[in-house]
Amino acid sequence: MWRVISERFHQGFRTGKFPLEEPKLPPRFRGLPRFDGECPSGCRACEELCPFGACAVRERKMAIDLGRCLFCADCPACPQGRITFSNDYRLAVRRRQDLLYSGGAYPLAEPLEPARLKLFGRSLKLRQVSAGGCNACEADCNVLNTLVFDLGRFGIQFVASPRHADGILLTGPVTENMRSAVLDTYEAVPGPKVVIAVGACGVNGGPFVDSPETNQGLGTLLPVDLYIPGCPPHPYTILDGLLRLLGRR
Amino acid sequence: MMKNDLEAQLLKNGGTVDLSLMESLGYDEFSRCLLAEVKAGGRVAALFGVPGEGKNEGLELFALIARDRSAQIAVYRTEVGTSFPSLTQSCPQIHLFEREIAEQYGVTPTGHPWLKPLRFHRVWQGDTDVWGRPPDERPRPGDMEFYRIEGEGVHEVAVGPVHAGIIEPGHFRFQCYGEKVMHLEISLGYQHRAIEPMLLAGPHPFTMAQMETIAGDTTIGHGLAYCQVIEALSGCVVPERAQSIRAMALELERLANHVGDIGALAGDIGFLPTASFCGRLRGDYLNLSAALCGSRFGRGLVRPGGVLFDLDATLASGMQTRIDEIEGNTLGALNLFFDEPSVLGRLEGTGRVSRSVAEDLGLVGVAAKACGVPRDSRFFHPTGVYRQLFDEMITEETGDAMARAHVRLRETMVSIDLLRRIGTSLPAGPVKVPVGPLKANTLAVSLVEGWRGEVVHVGITDAGGRLRRYKIVDPSFHNWSGLAMALRDEQISDFPLCNKSFGLSYCGFDL
């Protein structure tokens, strides 16, 4: 017992000050892409060069679909090297089209509409469903339960049964082998409910977007209330998204 | 002695063999060699089918046998028709390889004692399904005949695919007598993304991202194994500095997962101090990876030809300082756990796997080392800095959950030491060199000791130097069978603890 207490002092107090203080992310962290929307060359090479089809040029303006972007360290998309990544971890949005980013202000997620906000704003129970990803998004959801993030203090909790949940949080592109289990889990959640897609896979299929064995994330199967892009998203990206959905940021 | 008797092509880890010069054996000779190799202490690192290049050619089988003591890998090839005699009864460690070949290519290993689907996908070529499932319908996951025990007081418990926690999907079928588990059958495939088929005619621009997401917690392990195959096929020599940075990333990955796993074990036991400390410490190791390359999981670090990120002096010394700080906290949290009588009481004797079962099933990594079976490709098949720096392979004797936890504890200490030794003696020079085109008609193999165990990648190119077949073996491929055996005669309530003590990957198995 004394050893436990003394070790507790040795380990120190580790819960972060988020959201009162912004987290310090390493300088090499790749967040919101940084580029000028106007594309002077108009070469449209990026449409071909991004292996995941995240780039499009419309009327000399480049747009990056953050739902498809994997934030690759060696982003091959722009031959002029005009795409770099900022340190901004806040990426969650409410609508799929909001992920089409052309530079400038980023449309961060708005809170739920008043009816559901009233129900879930102070207590949100989520059933996490893993459906064909690589387990990195799952790990970064799990980590929210550690004392660093301490998800419970925001009234958000991952629960064991869909019957106890207010919604599902899905990771993975939804493999064909998991499709019916995902839909069954969604059905088992009593309404009204929320649906959250976490990670490039859950949003649009991620690295497996062209696989014959997967769907392209959750968007094609269910109505999604919150999209959290990234491969995988940083835990603070997920937490920031959840808090925005509940009108807490 | 073996070499004279068996006509094997021998290569080293990271070596290649020119397939146009390699003899194909008759199946009888192939099976004789394979069994003789295993009898002499070799183990089957990979066994897989390669379809012929012409339309009418049959299926080739390739077997890669790791001869640990001589640091060699023996390669054999043969050709089979619509069926071949199964070798599983004499060599149980290939039972899943044979099931995999049957499911992928519709070729029957006759006499296989346990011939069931593995991942529940359509056959990859033609429409001959070994199980007679209709060719125009997709197989349903979990749709197979489970082993059943019948009798008074015997009941069946089915769990999954969706589990209670934040965990990947899988299905477990227990045959129980009261609380006691007589048999556990594990049916997976829910995470199947068809990664191997998508590599055909590659490498493609999307391939590296897929290799890093075979199993996200083994991003460095699988990414590195893939890069070593491409480097071998292109004859590229990776700069020493890059090899050191790769090894640091691999050890950081091991540390994050080992520390996290011990924390998770503590959570399952209900010993909350270590559970909370380790949850945080795992993040500290992940953040070190993020300091190195921007991603907590090491995404974007390892690339064919080297690494994308260098360590400047400030970052290198900053990382060392951080490691010194975390080391004390890590050892404090872990020692607290291993000194607690109630924890030891829970771990000792739980989920025991005997050494002979571990050897028969071909277990690798933590699960094998816990049974006293020496398996570590850093030791037996070293590449890069491990040639000089790695000499401390950990094994335990008891084969139970305690031994598996203890292997992680001791490997944690070895990895911290390695990080320090590699980090303070970084060679100068470039971190990346260009990679040329791949050699035609060549097989290359790469073994990497990921944190769970040995990751095996094998690449085979066609006449144009494109990938004609790419085989990936995650350590979980072997080790799930170990978990099934560990549950025999255990209480069903011990399943979570046993499962956690193995800490296996679902997506790495289902690919």
Side-chain angles (χ1 to χ4, degrees):
Chain A
M1 187 68 204
W2 288 117
R3 260 197 80 189
V4 172
I5 294 169
S6 96
E7 188 57 38
R8 167 68 185 77
F9 278 105
H10 181 219
Q11 299 275 343
F13 181 82
R14 298 289 182 169
T15 304
K17 297 255 187 330
F18 189 84
L20 295 175
E21 281 178 21
E22 284 295 321
K24 273 205 196 84
L25 298 176
R28 286 174 176 177
F29 171 77
R30 294 180 291 282
L32 186 69
R34 195 163 31 197
F35 62 97
D36 176 12
E38 285 287 320
C39 191
S41 64
C43 69
R44 308 182 75 116
C46 55
E47 294 182 359
E48 296 297 315
L49 287 174
C50 173
F52 308 99
C55 296
V57 178
R58 300 273 178 277
E59 294 161 5
R60 302 186 80 82
K61 274 198 112 167
M62 179 161 56
I64 298 184
D65 181 353
L66 294 188
R68 284 175 170 263
C69 180
L70 302 188
F71 302 79
C72 301
D74 46 354
C75 176
C78 182
Q80 275 89 41
R82 293 181 59 240
I83 304 174
T84 54
F85 294 93
S86 75
N87 214 249
D88 190 351
Y89 66 96
R90 299 164 306 158
L91 297 169
V93 298
R94 288 293 308 278
R95 291 170 308 176
R96 182 67 183 82
Q97 66 263 33
D98 289 348
L99 290 171
L100 291 172
Y101 179 57
S102 307
Y106 183 73
L108 286 166
E110 298 287 331
L112 284 167
E113 77 287 350
R116 280 190 295 171
L117 191 61
K118 186 158 182 282
L119 283 171
F120 304 138
R122 278 147 50 104
S123 163
L124 179 68
K125 310 286 173 193
L126 294 170
R127 172 61 253 206
Q128 201 277 332
V129 186
S130 163
C134 71
N135 203 29
C137 290
E138 288 83 345
D140 269 350
C141 289
N142 241 332
V143 90
L144 294 179
N145 287 319
T146 64
L147 46 83
V148 178
F149 301 92
D150 193 14
L151 191 63
R153 72 195 152 120
F154 303 107
I156 308 170
Q157 194 190 352
F158 290 107
V159 293
S161 165
R163 295 284 192 222
H164 305 159
D166 302 318
I168 62 171
L169 183 152
L170 180 120
T171 52
V174 187
T175 51
E176 273 301 312
N177 282 349
M178 266 309 278
R179 183 148 79 132
S180 69
V182 168
L183 297 177
D184 286 352
T185 308
Y186 173 74
E187 283 304 319
V189 176
K193 44 192 161 187
V194 295
V195 175
I196 299 168
V198 170
C201 284
V203 174
N204 204 95
F208 310 108
V209 61
D210 292 326
S211 162
E213 287 284 335
T214 68
N215 295 278
Q216 299 190 341
L218 199 50
T220 52
L221 301 172
L222 292 173
V224 177
D225 295 298
L226 182 68
Y227 293 93
I228 305 180
C231 187
H234 194 279
Y236 277 122
T237 308
I238 304 175
L239 186 53
D240 170 73
L242 294 175
L243 294 183
R244 282 178 194 282
L245 187 70
L246 301 182
R248 309 274 285 275
R249 285 213 84 187
Chain B
M1 36 170 201
M2 295 264 305
K3 285 170 208 154
N4 304 333
D5 187 24
L6 301 169
E7 307 238 342
Q9 276 286 341
L10 295 176
L11 39 139
K12 294 267 179 199
N13 184 9
T16 60
V17 51
D18 182 346
L19 288 182
S20 57
L21 303 175
M22 187 183 160
E23 187 194 359
S24 182
L25 306 173
Y27 186 76
D28 287 345
E29 180 65 6
F30 174 84
S31 50
R32 187 185 73 81
C33 293
L34 196 145
L35 296 177
E37 288 275 4
V38 171
K39 198 169 172 216
R43 55 192 179 80
V44 184
L47 170 65
F48 55 96
V50 182
E53 283 183 288
K55 275 246 149 75
N56 298 321
E57 286 181 61
L59 185 73
E60 276 196 289
L61 298 186
F62 279 80
L64 279 80
I65 316 285
R67 293 182 184 173
D68 285 341
R69 281 188 185 81
S70 55
Q72 288 170 321
I73 297 144
V75 188
Y76 298 94
R77 79 199 278 196
T78 184
E79 204 166 323
V80 294
T82 54
S83 70
F84 60 93
S86 162
L87 300 177
T88 293
Q89 305 249 24
S90 348
C91 178
Q93 60 175 297
I94 65 169
H95 70 132
L96 290 182
F97 285 123
E98 288 190 339
R99 279 169 68 177
E100 186 180 49
I101 292 164
E103 184 169 47
Q104 292 172 344
Y105 298 106
V107 170
T108 311
T110 44
H112 193 293
W114 200 256
L115 188 58
K116 308 177 186 197
L118 214 54
R119 302 189 177 103
F120 302 92
H121 57 73
R122 281 192 208 96
V123 66
W124 285 353
Q125 59 168 25
D127 44 34
T128 325
D129 184 306
V130 167
W131 297 278
R133 298 176 295 192
D136 46 347
E137 262 175 54
R138 214 230 97 79
R140 292 209 338 266
D143 183 13
M144 64 177 207
E145 242 177 75
F146 287 88
Y147 181 82
R148 284 192 78 155
I149 297 175
E150 282 172 0
E152 206 178 326
V154 177
H155 62 281
E156 185 178 77
V157 180
V159 183
V162 179
H163 303 293
I166 303 180
I167 182 171
E168 298 177 82
H171 183 76
F172 302 89
R173 222 31 109 83
F174 300 87
Q175 309 295 319
C176 300
Y177 183 71
E179 280 286 290
K180 193 164 96 175
V181 178
M182 291 188 283
H183 182 74
L184 161 63
E185 188 163 2
I186 303 171
S187 176
L188 301 176
Y190 297 91
Q191 301 279 67
H192 179 58
R193 298 149 293 176
I195 289 178
E196 285 181 11
M198 282 190 281
L199 272 153
L200 294 184
H204 305 288
F206 56 76
T207 298
M208 192 66 226
Q210 291 188 348
M211 294 298 100
E212 291 186 322
T213 48
I214 290 169
D217 50 27
T218 315
T219 294
I220 300 292
H222 276 289
L224 183 52
Y226 166 74
C227 288
Q228 287 182 358
V229 165
I230 297 302
E231 286 147 11
L233 285 171
S234 62
C236 160
V237 180
V238 179
E240 280 183 11
R241 188 172 177 85
Q243 292 187 346
S244 293
I245 294 175
R246 285 174 168 191
M248 286 181 75
L250 190 65
E251 296 310 319
L252 278 173
E253 187 168 86
R254 191 180 323 279
L255 282 164
N257 284 293
H258 278 2
V259 170
D261 270 359
I262 294 177
L265 274 172
D268 272 357
I269 291 172
F271 187 64
L272 297 184
T274 298
S276 1
F277 301 152
C278 285
R280 187 270 294 187
L281 288 161
R282 172 180 170 275
D284 287 344
Y285 291 109
L286 293 177
N287 289 341
L288 279 170
S289 295
L292 180 56
C293 69
S295 158
R296 286 155 47 91
F297 292 87
R299 302 278 156 87
L301 177 66
V302 185
R303 288 292 181 273
V307 293
L308 283 184
F309 293 91
D310 199 355
L311 271 174
D312 59 30
T314 331
L315 184 55
S317 72
M319 281 177 74
Q320 290 303 328
T321 318
R322 193 80 190 100
I323 290 163
D324 294 342
E325 286 165 17
I326 315 171
E327 183 183 21
N329 281 329
T330 305
L331 295 182
L334 299 188
N335 287 336
L336 199 62
F337 180 75
F338 286 97
D339 287 347
E340 180 67 33
S342 65
V343 166
L344 303 185
R346 196 73 186 75
L347 289 173
E348 278 170 358
T350 304
R352 195 183 289 273
V353 178
S354 70
R355 183 179 174 135
S356 68
V357 165
E359 282 177 340
D360 284 350
L361 289 175
L363 300 192
V364 294
V366 173
K369 292 176 216 181
C371 303
V373 180
R375 297 270 182 271
D376 198 318
S377 26
R378 290 173 295 175
F379 187 82
F380 291 116
H381 305 273
T383 56
V385 285
Y386 292 113
R387 287 197 191 103
Q388 291 90 37
L389 278 184
F390 189 75
D391 46 16
E392 215 173 329
M393 182 176 43
I394 302 295
T395 54
E396 290 278 330
E397 293 303 319
T398 47
D400 51 5
M402 177 66 198
R404 288 184 285 276
H406 220 242
V407 168
R408 289 184 173 92
L409 166 75
R410 292 169 62 202
E411 286 201 337
T412 297
M413 297 194 268
V414 172
S415 289
I416 291 175
D417 183 46
L418 272 174
L419 270 184
R420 201 167 278 137
R421 283 157 66 197
I422 301 169
T424 48
S425 58
L426 276 176
V431 293
K432 196 166 182 297
V433 291
V435 178
L438 310 188
K439 286 182 233 168
N441 285 322
T442 303
L443 175 149
V445 60
S446 147
L447 312 180
V448 170
E449 190 71 11
W451 64 274
R452 281 193 187 90
E454 180 182 85
V455 173
V456 183
H457 283 220
V458 188
I460 296 180
T461 53
D462 62 15
R466 311 294 297 175
L467 288 173
R468 186 183 142 204
R469 177 76 168 99
Y470 197 90
K471 180 81 203 100
I472 303 158
V473 187
D474 186 87
S476 304
F477 186 76
H478 304 280
N479 287 1
W480 279 111
S481 306
L483 172 62
M485 293 306 289
L487 253 286
R488 291 227 169 144
D489 291 330
E490 284 294 340
Q491 302 241 320
I492 191 167
S493 48
D494 275 339
F495 175 69
L497 188 59
C498 289
N499 191 17
K500 194 65 73 189
S501 74
F502 277 84
L504 301 179
S505 171
Y506 298 74
C507 53
F509 180 95
D510 301 349
L511 299 177

